[in-house]
Amino acid sequence: MGDRSIKLIVNGYSYNVSVPAETTLLEVLREELQLTGTKFGCDTGECGACTVLIDGRPFRSCMTLAVEVEGKRITTIEGLANGGELHPVQKKFVELQAIQCGFCSPGMILTAVAFLGENPKPTRQEVRRAISGNICRCTGYQKIVEAVIAASKINGGGRK
Amino acid sequence: MKTETLIGKSVPRIDSIRKATGAAKYTADLFLSGMLHAKVLRSPYPHARILDIDTSKAEQLEGVRAVITGKDTKGVKWGVFPYTQDHGMIATDKVRFIGEEVAAVAAVTEEIAQRAVELIDVTYEELPAVFDPEKAMKDDKLIHEDRGTNINVHVDIDVGDVDAAFGEAEIVLEDVFKSAGEAYAMMEPYSVVADFNSEGYLDLWIPNAGPHVRAKALSNLLKMPLNKVRVRKIDIGGAFGGRSEVSPSDVVTALLSIKSRQPVKLVLSREETFTATRQVHDMIVYLKTGADANGMIIARDARVIYDGGAYSSTGPIATSVPFYVYEETYKHPNVRYNGYRVYTNKCPRGMYPHHGRAYQVAMTTHMDMVAEKLGLDPMEIRLRNANRSGDHTATDSVISSCGLSESITMTAEMSRWSEKRGKLPKYRGIGMGSMGLMCGFPMGFRSGATAFIRMNESGQITLFTGMVDNGQGNENMVVQITAEVIGIPMEMVNLVNADTEMTGHDPGAYSQAATFVGGNAVMRAAQDVRRQVLAASAEMMKVAPDELDITNGMIHLKNDNEKSFFIARAARYAMSNGGNIVGKGSYFPKISRDREWVKNPRGQMGGTYSFNTVVTEIEVDPDTGIIKMLDVWAAHDCGKPINPATVEGQIHGIVSRGGVATYMEEIDWDRGQVLNPNLLDYKVPLATDMPEMDVELITTNDPEGPFGAKEGGLTASMNVYKAIVSAFYDATGVWLKELPFTPEKVLKALAKKNN
Amino acid sequence: MHLPHFEITEPRTLDDALLVLSDHEDRIMIKAGGTALIPAMRLGLANPDRVLNISTISDMDKIDRHRDNCISIGANSSLFQVRQSSIIKENFPALVDAVKSISSPSLHHSSSIAGNICQDCRCIYYNQSLTWRALRSKCFKAAGKTCHAVSNGNKCSAVYRGDLAPVLISMSASVVLASFKGKREIPLSQFFKSNGIWPNTLGPAEILTEVVIPIPKSNLKVTFEKVRIRSSLDYAIATGAVSVTTDSEGTCTDCKIVLGALGPGPIESFEAEKIIVGTIPDLAICKRAAKEVINKIHPVANTESTPEHRIELAEFIVVRCLCKALGIGGGD
């Protein structure tokens, strides 16, 4: 059996791609669609840099097969801002300097967005737990926690 | 003097929007037309002679465009210094560590490249390997036969009269301390894109901490003129000292592109990043300390062994820096230091923000032991031994500005130290670590920086600087300085940086020199532009330049904001009367020119020094042995923070890398093979492992630094682990001497004490 | 690098899945959430010709009352669903504790309860890339003849590091295994065979479809403890659960003590349980039981911590779990 033709809905656009079953969502996003905001960090699900939202929930695209997400709503970091306007979580990451090298930021931001959807008014400790599967080597997480809390205080902080 | 408007403000960083939206491009994100993919064949042996390499089957595989081995190199060996050139970048005669580059393939897909690599036949003759540096020092198994010894570097410093001082000492202590090496674990796996074009130019995109230094190294290694090797701007996913030097991957990718005449991309796996790029030294420290009855440390004798891995890397610097950061902090009247960096059959070891952790722990622990014997507060003994502004170090550096004592007293207040030390409940403790650090160190003519600025006819400017940003905020720092100096909003500043074709030299984002040296050059270039703008405006207005000022891009008479005009008019006036406004600025730190790490370790080390103290309160779980930091207080003398939130962020990160690492991080070895080459088994701290942190910045306004600024955060990393050691003693009454303090070591130590 | 090639089947119903499974027994592997299988394929530890993606089976993610006194958790229920479920929170708080302790919350959307139970044993010498493992001779788990964790070891010492199995066994849970021939329900304790090479008895044509847990009586208390190096993401270096039933006098009438991450499967210590049952347990008795547990565990050096340390942790976990379950002070 050869490649499978599937339809993906990424950031509101639909794409037809033809891939073999073993293709991960990360590979399709980066190599086929050239949406390189989703990062390759470890390829074994340990770092969280490749996190994307599937129907609003966080998934590691390196452990998700492309054929599994056919027809599902995929949001990558490139699709989070609404037109020119940053999502409240992005806005607060920028304002409060929760970003240093930026390599973990796409996965971190999307994890935080999904989490605020589950828990719109979290405590700092809850934020820490929610993002504890996303590794950041630069920030010590302090400003990330501050940014997520600040975003939760903006109307629509939980918007996805 | 006009009031500063931008300096000291936590404005959002200019690089953050592209990083928050996924628009930032890192090396692996580049897709050039016709681009090939590379894979590397690596040594499966820690030590073996290469008898034969047969690449014929790989070459014949469909889709393969180039295959290279050590024979394709120019036979030039890499070393930071002429006397440490020992690394061929692709092995030829021997392999010296598991993971060493033996051959590489470029092919149309990664899968074909991988298959081709597997088709390369290498015949090895296995040689006895040595992994323990103390055994390696006995030299019965030579890793580099031509050197005649496995001692890679010996740094010998002897100041004062150490033996006499020990004779006078009231207290003499002797102990052995050890530390395991850590992994940099930057989130971006190492990647290179090389594009050799038909005009003979080699363009390279590489995660680096100094593009100019990298280009020169590659020009030497590839025997290409420097102007043909161009390291281009790219976003970089962390460095932490691990991306300062040229890497074999750079050479491999460049050679593949040269051979195939196509662009080539190499993306290392996470495992390769752990096992085949430089990581951190393991260390053993034999320390003898003598103190007088007042708690003054009057004698030190240290024998320090660094496990250097198979090649020199930054050897002489790595073997010296731990000594210097200590002498920059505390008085050192009589000291003997013998640092040995030793070859072993491991991937080469490099510098890390808290490189030398066993040494600093040893020095501080002995200080605390002296305090204990004399009934002194550990804070008090630090203050007594602390350097102050104007002090000379043991090797003749002058400390120009010094906020060390302030940082000690400030963190003591922040943490309510005197209410807590020795008074917390069992298994809770508080500890303090202090350290000073040179901003920049001598690198010959490379120690300085030059920046240029061009103004267009609309008054907007473009800043050209070699300054690179690995994530620490350097790009924003130079734009903030430029906008402030000229008197324009940051949005009017375009930045071209970290590109060797378009920028002047910069020493790089390591050695803590970015703000102090690179920032200084940028400030001077901006001053040059400002001077020219004011001169043109003064001519237009027929006033003297010093009667004018620039605010928010508007030129006006001082004390009169009413009559003003936009800076673009001055730019156009200048263009009509000679040409574009173009500014240039250079800075070279006031350092000793004849200092040499091994041959002449004396003279001014850094242009200035920054200081920091960290206090932490920890809890030790006596059932599991797990340590947890509950609180962290840090006070940092960074001269003057250009962007306080950025400096805070640096310190926050360092508490995780230097602090939590104290009880979690180590590379685990088994006969030269790394047992934990992934982000699950290697313990990079997580959000739930981190305490809340309280950071204060101390302003000392360094006379040389741009706006008084010095280094911004690294110093803390030398402190937080010392604070933890000290806190652990406060919590348990046990001195731990072997880092990391893993739960099993903690439980063993507690059991030993209770028996 | 792409994963090695495989075909995929995405059945809509259990029957379809079982049919495919019986047709391809040898070279097919089941994928639920994918958090175990895909990294395993990435490392060359699994190399199936065909992947059966059971996450597409509808109706296999229900959590509801089953028969009279049991709750059934569908195999595909995600850990997120389990920890959010009000039925689970109400009846099995210790199970919620265990779920919360697994990896990190953001991974709970992809991990399923059955996937967690059916996870393979792990070893620091085995869960490595193909290139990494090629430097050593093949170990027992890779169909070879050596063990790199135990010198001269004569069997596989890989560790079962699942957190749910011990707590579910302590709650007398059972699992439903379906095959083309029909369904069988077995106690979860019998599902495991304590073998590092493959820890469970799931047949090649079988799918675990349900976890069934008896609703506890009010005098049953279950507690769970886990120790890991980092406070999230990591596997346990030792984990365990205890259930105790006491009568109105405070006498323990039933007790289960089950440990995890200390051997090739969950380890129940019947001898330790006997020490507790029939007594009105105090701290000294709990400590005696914990000492007894140690006789049954033989951890080896193949995780992030040393065997000695993990034995100490096992003892601590048993005492802490017993004390918490029995309301005895001093366990903390």
Side-chain angles (χ1 to χ4, degrees), chain B residues 79 82 229 312 405 448 579 595 628 755:
Chain B
V229 180
S312 285
S405 301
R595 193 181 233 287
K628 194 166 172 61
N755 280 338

Side-chain angles (χ1 to χ4, degrees), chain B residues 61-90:
Chain B
L61 187 70
E62 192 179 314
V64 169
R65 295 289 181 271
V67 181
I68 56 161
T69 67
K71 283 184 187 152
D72 293 272
T73 66
K74 304 289 174 189
V76 184
K77 289 186 175 178
W78 165 248
V80 176
F81 303 90
Y83 59 93
T84 61
Q85 286 170 356
D86 58 9
H87 192 178
M89 294 274 147
I90 304 179

Side-chain angles (χ1 to χ4, degrees), chain C residues 14 31 58 87 103-104 131-132 139 164 178 219 245 247 259 262 283 286 321-322:
Chain C
L14 180 61
K31 184 189 92 62
S58 54
I87 303 182
S103 63
S104 77
T131 329
W132 194 100
C139 70
L164 296 185
N219 55 352
T245 308
D247 64 16
L259 288 156
L262 291 157
L283 184 59
C286 295
C321 281
L322 282 170

Side-chain angles (χ1 to χ4, degrees), chain C residues 276-331:
Chain C
I276 301 290
V277 175
T279 69
I280 302 178
D282 58 12
L283 184 59
I285 295 175
C286 295
K287 284 187 173 171
R288 200 142 53 80
K291 279 268 180 255
E292 180 58 45
V293 168
I294 296 173
N295 294 329
K296 216 171 162 185
I297 56 172
H298 311 283
V300 308
N302 60 355
T303 67
E304 303 98 310
S305 197
T306 58
E308 301 75 34
H309 182 230
R310 285 157 67 212
I311 290 170
E312 285 181 83
L313 292 178
E315 200 177 337
F316 152 73
I317 283 171
V318 172
V319 174
R320 166 89 43 112
C321 281
L322 282 170
C323 288
K324 267 194 339 198
L326 293 159
I328 299 170

Side-chain angles (χ1 to χ4, degrees), chain B residues 504-518:
Chain B
H505 182 68
D506 184 273
Y510 49 90
S511 85
Q512 306 74 246
T515 306
F516 188 73
V517 176

Side-chain angles (χ1 to χ4, degrees), chain C residues 117 119 160 165 169 188-194 199-201 264-266:
Chain C
I117 293 169
Q119 68 182 272
Y160 180 77
I169 291 172
L188 183 59
S189 55
Q190 288 171 25
F191 182 63
F192 292 99
K193 58 183 183 187
S194 208
N200 64 56
T201 58

Side-chain angles (χ1 to χ4, degrees), chain B residues 111 271 673-674 683-684 689, chain C residues 2 129 132 136 231 304:
Chain B
E111 285 68 33
E271 180 185 322
Q673 190 172 22
V674 177
K683 306 299 181 188
V684 174
D689 296 317
Chain C
H2 292 201
S129 73
W132 194 100
R136 293 166 182 265
S231 50
E304 303 98 310

Side-chain angles (χ1 to χ4, degrees), chain C residues 89-100:
Chain C
K89 283 197 243 182
E90 204 178 297
N91 291 292
F92 313 115
L95 178 62
V96 177
D97 290 346
V99 169
K100 284 183 173 170

